């Protein structure tokens, strides 16, 4: 995928959904909850179908060590949520009983969200750009909306809120660009660590996606209504479609390319 297009896919939905809080009432965000359910199902599906198999096919790191990095990513996301208050999966905390915090800039929330978004962008320089970029972009829509809601509740100036939202939306593209520059040898060589970074992101995605699926949309976190079920099935179906058609095509192309290179080598020899 073209780098400019990838950056736009990552930046525009997050920034647009963040500024949407100026025009959408928080009480009318039922559609946002459906997006949240869709994004959780899609994230979980691409993690299981694309990311985990790719990482465990790597020859750079043993499967046992990769498992430790996946677990570390899961626990790291749990740690980040102590500061972000669960905004990564669409939680909005602007109740009146928290008004004494509402006039202060949420530094802890911004730091944890930006670090989270930055880490998500780094593996994009390695593999599965289309599936991973779409998953991150969809996942950031409810997160950016929740962040925008919190920023508005702090009574900050509108320009400050816009700059803050733009900073959050830019963190994943920045992670991608930095990782790409490093892997290209412009800063150093990080390709040997891509599988470990991806394993950490897998752990993060597993935590976020499962939390979304159990928490989004109802007081009873384990209750699935019809609309939510449709959104979940749609997320799984799209991820499965890309796995069956795009993945199969790429695999077939690799199989076709490998014998060609072998034949060329024998001829040269």
């Amino acid at each position: 995928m073209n780098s400019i297009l990838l950056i736009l896919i990552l930046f525009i939905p997050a920034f647009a959904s963040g500024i949407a809080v100026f025009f959408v009432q928080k009480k009318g965000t039922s559609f946002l909850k459906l997006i949240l359910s869709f994004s959780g199902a899609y994230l979980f599906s691409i993690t299981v179908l694309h990311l985990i198999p790719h990482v465990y096919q790597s020859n750079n790191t043993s499967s046992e060590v990769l498992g430790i990095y996946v677990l570390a990513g899961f626990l790291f996301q749990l740690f980040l949520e102590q500061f972000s208050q669960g905004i990564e999966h669409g939680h909005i905390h602007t109740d009146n009983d928290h008004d004494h915090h509402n006039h202060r800039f949420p530094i802890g929330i911004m730091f944890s969200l930006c670090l989270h978004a930055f880490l998500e962008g780094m593996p994009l320089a390695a593999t599965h750009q289309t599936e991973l970029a779409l998953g991150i972009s969809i996942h950031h829509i409810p997160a950016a909306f929740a962040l925008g809601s919190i920023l508005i509740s702090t009574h900050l100036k509108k320009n400050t809120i816009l700059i803050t939202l733009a900073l959050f939306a830019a963190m994943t593209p920045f992670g991608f660009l930095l990782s790409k520059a490093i892997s290209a040898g412009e800063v150093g060589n990080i390709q040997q660590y891509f599988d470990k970074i991806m394993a950490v992101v897998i752990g993060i995605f597993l935590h976020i996606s499962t939390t979304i699926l159990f928490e989004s949309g109802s007081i009873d976190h384990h209750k699935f209504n019809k609309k939510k079920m449709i959104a979940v099935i749609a997320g799984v179906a799209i991820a499965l479609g890309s796995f069956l058609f795009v993945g199969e095509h790429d695999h077939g192309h690799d199989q076709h390319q490998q014998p060609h290179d072998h034949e060329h080598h024998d001829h040269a020899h």
Side-chain angles (χ1 to χ4, degrees):
M1 180 185 292
N2 181 274
S3 295
I4 296 177
L5 178 60
L6 184 67
I7 291 171
L8 292 177
I9 290 175
L10 294 170
F11 180 85
I12 292 178
F15 184 67
S17 58
I19 64 176
V21 295
F22 292 110
F23 312 102
V24 178
Q25 296 293 326
K26 290 192 291 293
K27 294 181 180 180
T29 56
S30 57
F31 180 69
L32 193 70
K33 292 180 180 179
L34 294 179
I35 295 178
L36 192 61
S37 299
F38 174 86
S39 70
Y42 184 82
L43 269 182
F44 184 80
S45 298
I46 64 170
T47 300
V48 172
L49 295 174
H50 293 282
L51 305 185
I52 292 177
H54 176 81
V55 165
Y56 277 91
Q57 287 173 358
S58 171
N59 296 321
N60 295 329
T61 308
S62 67
S63 58
E64 292 82 3
V65 173
L66 287 174
I68 293 175
Y69 278 91
V70 171
L71 181 60
F74 189 94
L75 295 176
F76 181 65
Q77 177 59 34
L78 188 64
F79 172 76
L80 284 182
E81 289 186 7
Q82 304 307 307
F83 303 95
S84 67
Q85 302 177 21
I87 290 180
E88 295 93 334
H89 36 85
H91 281 187
I92 303 176
H93 304 276
T94 56
D95 296 332
N96 292 329
D97 57 342
H98 294 94
D99 279 344
H100 60 286
H101 293 297
N102 282 348
H103 293 278
R104 294 187 295 181
F105 184 83
I107 297 177
I109 290 176
M110 272 302 297
F111 176 79
S112 59
L113 279 181
C114 288
L115 178 59
H116 166 88
F118 176 81
L119 289 174
E120 285 182 331
M122 294 196 73
L124 286 169
T127 184
H128 294 296
Q129 286 187 340
T130 302
E131 298 88 354
L132 189 53
L134 289 176
I136 293 172
S137 179
I138 296 170
H139 148 59
H140 280 174
I141 290 175
F145 188 89
L147 176 61
S149 299
I150 288 180
L151 292 174
I152 286 180
S153 72
T154 62
H155 305 293
L156 294 169
K157 294 181 180 179
K158 186 175 181 179
N159 288 339
T160 303
I161 294 177
L162 292 176
I163 293 172
T164 304
L165 290 171
L167 176 63
F168 167 68
M171 289 309 296
T172 300
F174 179 67
F176 160 65
L177 290 174
L178 180 62
S179 181
K180 184 179 179 181
I182 293 174
S183 65
E186 298 175 15
V187 181
N189 182 15
I190 200 175
Q191 272 189 318
Q192 57 183 325
Y193 303 110
F194 270 146
D195 54 346
K196 297 182 179 69
I197 296 173
M198 181 67 82
V200 172
V201 172
I202 286 172
I204 291 173
F205 278 1
L206 286 175
H207 184 285
I208 291 174
S209 60
T210 52
T211 302
I212 287 174
L213 290 174
F214 285 114
E215 288 191 355
S216 64
S218 65
I219 297 177
D220 179 1
H221 296 334
H222 300 281
K223 181 180 179 181
F224 274 68
N225 56 44
K226 291 181 179 179
K227 290 182 179 179
K228 181 178 178 180
M229 181 61 74
I230 292 173
V232 169
I233 293 174
V236 173
I238 292 177
L240 188 60
S242 67
F243 171 75
L244 293 176
F245 297 104
V246 178
E248 183 179 356
H249 172 69
D250 292 341
H251 181 68
H253 177 74
D254 292 340
Q255 285 182 329
H256 174 74
Q257 185 68 30
Q258 188 174 1
H260 175 76
D261 293 341
H262 179 71
E263 183 179 354
H264 177 74
H265 174 75
D266 292 343
H267 179 73
H269 180 72

